[in-house]
Amino acid sequence: MNQLNLDHASAAVEFNKDEPRVDWHDETLWFVRTKRDRAAAQLPEWEQLREAASQIKNHVLSNMHDLLAQFEENAKQNGITVHWAENADEHNAIIHKLIQDAGVTRMVKSKSMLTEECHLNDYLTRHGIEVIDSDLGERIVQMRKEPPSHIVLPAIHLKKSDVGETFHEHLGTEKGATDPQYLTEAARQHLRDTFLTRKVALTGVNFAIAETGGFVVCTNEGNADMGAHLADVHIAAMGFEKIIPRAEHLGVFLRLLARSATGQPITTFSSHFHRPRPGQQMHIVIVDNGRSRQLGRPDFRNSLKCIRCAACLNTCPVYRRSGGHSYHSAIAGPIGSILAPNLDMKLNADLPFASTLCGSCSNVCPVKIDIHDQLYKWRQVLMKEGYGPGSKTAAMKAMATVLESPSLYRVAGKIGRGVLRFTPVLAENRFNPWYNQREMPEPPAESFRDWYINNKKV
Amino acid sequence: MTSREKILANIKANQPDLRPLPEQYTFVSTFPDLTKQFIDVLTFVGGRALVVPDYAAIRADLQAQYPNLKSVATTIPELADLADRTMTVSDPHELADLNLAIIEGPIAVAENAAIWVDEQQLPQRVAPMITQYLVIVIRQSTLVPNMHDAYKQLKVDTTGFGTFICGPSKTADIEQSLVIGAHGARSLTVYLLP
Ligand code: SF4
């Protein structure tokens, strides 16, 4: 948890202290990435599917206003109540009010990154509402009072021994138990009771269909369905960018989503909700929270095409070796690093720098977001706005001064070579981030300039 | 201005110029044998598939798989004698102790072994998740190659709820170890009639 107060680089240093664990984290996520590759290779039309998905989403961004209006009208006709929330506070307040109106103080919730973004659990807990996350990974991190570290695999940073300890403490499983089958069974029993006793259930939304006024929720565990179908009130929370024009477009997205996420051909349940069941209330909360601002930024609006598959996290060499918590933001990894500065530029100025710009993220993205280009563009915006990370800003200012003056440049070069040759400890210290995990190079005896002058004389 | 008006006004002001929908968004999948493709994928995701000639074969297999199981319900008239209870209840909580649900699937997809069911097959939406074990009977003649074909045939809002089911419920949230039977059914058996 204390990692949340550190910037990405410092939190990554903490994460890297346990080397075998970092290696394991790295390999586990790479394994998920290879499963994605295998699944993609099975479809000859994979690249065409990505292109179709990208174009459908481009259309959605350009037609957002009308599609949302159409969705609202159709959803209302279906008997769904539609709410609009400008920001996180309004989103939280709407949901709180719906729970109060139902006359209860407890709610069960399936996975929704939006509610993480809005800090809904904290808000409701402060207002005396108990929230239980029902996705197994989310339940694990919730018990440990940690945020999810990955958007698809929330507890990917934990070993089974960690989960065993947590369950021993909270669910009374045997001390030292680490068998995933046994631990999952314990969670199943515990959450079954929760599903059966909660009158309000919240789910996320993977896709909302303008043409039919319904929405689709995808899970492997069946937890969204268990919650929603047993509750008197079903609340679905969505960022407005989840809209797609027609049901037939789901063919494209459902073929891409699970294959990109985990290499599965499709999730176990892809549930289409169109009307409340008799006697039930169904609500949709459509949230902006900075999205309309991002829509107005030509360089960054493409980030709103994201379908949250997490392929860009799994493939990212920085994510795999720094862990999700080092991003101190609801959505970690490359896509989170584009979304977060839009929410708070100052607080998240370090994130676009948490990338090697290798481009692997853009290569796997099923909706073809130019992720690494956007990270590069954010860096420029942040430096210009004066939000560049402190050490980089100071170093770059100094460098600019040196580069502007030929004589200073020559002196600096001499000093640099001298430092490396005679007092390497000055360069190989913890104040020089470049030295971390690296040996400083052997310095040349003379500069290129000196060499050139000397050799020309001959 | 209400939040709704503000959000929609901001979107209108900020959205880029209209881009057309792509012309191609459906694709053709060709499998030499749809039934084999379906069975291979279902097996891969932890389900069990059985090609059967008739309901008698289904009954025989079910009796062998689940001898003496209580709290069994079905919506299929031909198998009604196997059931000792109904799924047609007014309160879904009454299904909490359902052990085996036997339902029909009107459309199944070969590429990913997903079976569509909606409220025409489900007396209660929660039935296929809350039951301990799930059986779905499909017909090979209703297999379509891929998801595009399925959506061409389906009208997703015919009823208030419908879902694609692919295999038993599962999780890999504990150290990426696959565990079958998360919150939904602990097993899925699919019988394929001609
Ligand atoms: S940016 Fe692309 S790859 Fe990353 S989560 Fe979103 S859709 Fe997936």
Side-chain angles (χ1 to χ4, degrees), chain B:
Chain B
M1 271 220 280
T2 62
S3 293
R4 176 188 182 278
E5 287 161 0
K6 268 192 247 171
I7 295 169
L8 285 172
N10 283 341
I11 289 174
K12 196 161 206 165
N14 287 348
Q15 70 188 19
D17 293 340
L18 190 67
R19 304 265 299 263
L21 278 166
E23 264 156 41
Q24 187 175 23
Y25 54 84
T26 62
F27 300 88
V28 177
S29 301
T30 37
F31 301 109
D33 182 346
L34 291 182
T35 300
K36 181 177 182 306
Q37 170 69 21
F38 177 92
I39 292 174
D40 286 352
V41 179
L42 186 70
T43 311
F44 173 71
V45 298
R48 174 172 171 261
L50 220 66
V51 175
V52 289
D54 51 27
Y55 284 105
I58 297 177
R59 180 178 300 107
D61 187 67
L62 279 172
Q63 279 165 342
Q65 294 291 323
Y66 304 101
N68 306 317
L69 190 68
K70 295 279 172 286
S71 197
V72 176
T74 182
T75 52
I76 304 174
E78 289 84 344
L79 300 172
D81 57 303
L82 292 175
D84 60 1
R85 60 169 297 167
T86 176
M87 275 181 270
T88 313
V89 291
S90 54
D91 179 349
H93 292 84
E94 288 172 43
L95 299 179
D97 59 348
L98 182 63
N99 279 327
L100 177 62
I102 307 165
I103 57 175
E104 277 175 297
I107 296 179
V109 187
E111 70 155 320
N112 57 14
I115 303 169
W116 174 263
V117 292
D118 63 27
E119 289 182 296
Q120 296 171 86
Q121 288 79 41
L122 302 172
Q124 276 291 348
R125 299 175 181 188
V126 81
M129 297 95 194
I130 203 169
T131 182
Q132 297 290 334
Y133 308 101
L134 178 63
V135 168
I136 308 181
V137 178
I138 64 171
R139 292 185 179 274
Q140 293 179 59
S141 57
T142 61
L143 278 170
V144 295
N146 67 27
M147 290 296 282
H148 309 296
D149 305 309
Y151 278 111
K152 256 175 236 162
Q153 284 192 28
L154 280 174
K155 216 176 147 316
V156 291
D157 56 348
T158 304
T159 70
F161 174 78
T163 185
F164 281 106
I165 300 178
C166 170
S169 95
K170 57 172 110 29
T171 180
D173 275 347
I174 301 177
E175 238 187 67
Q176 279 295 292
S177 317
L178 180 69
V179 177
I180 303 276
H183 302 302
R186 296 172 188 273
S187 74
L188 170 68
T189 304
V190 178
Y191 295 108
L192 296 98
L193 287 168

Side-chain angles (χ1 to χ4, degrees), chain A residues 164-175:
Chain A
E165 258 170 55
T166 304
F167 279 16
H168 172 64
E169 188 187 323
H170 293 268
L171 299 180
T173 52
E174 273 169 54
K175 192 161 178 54

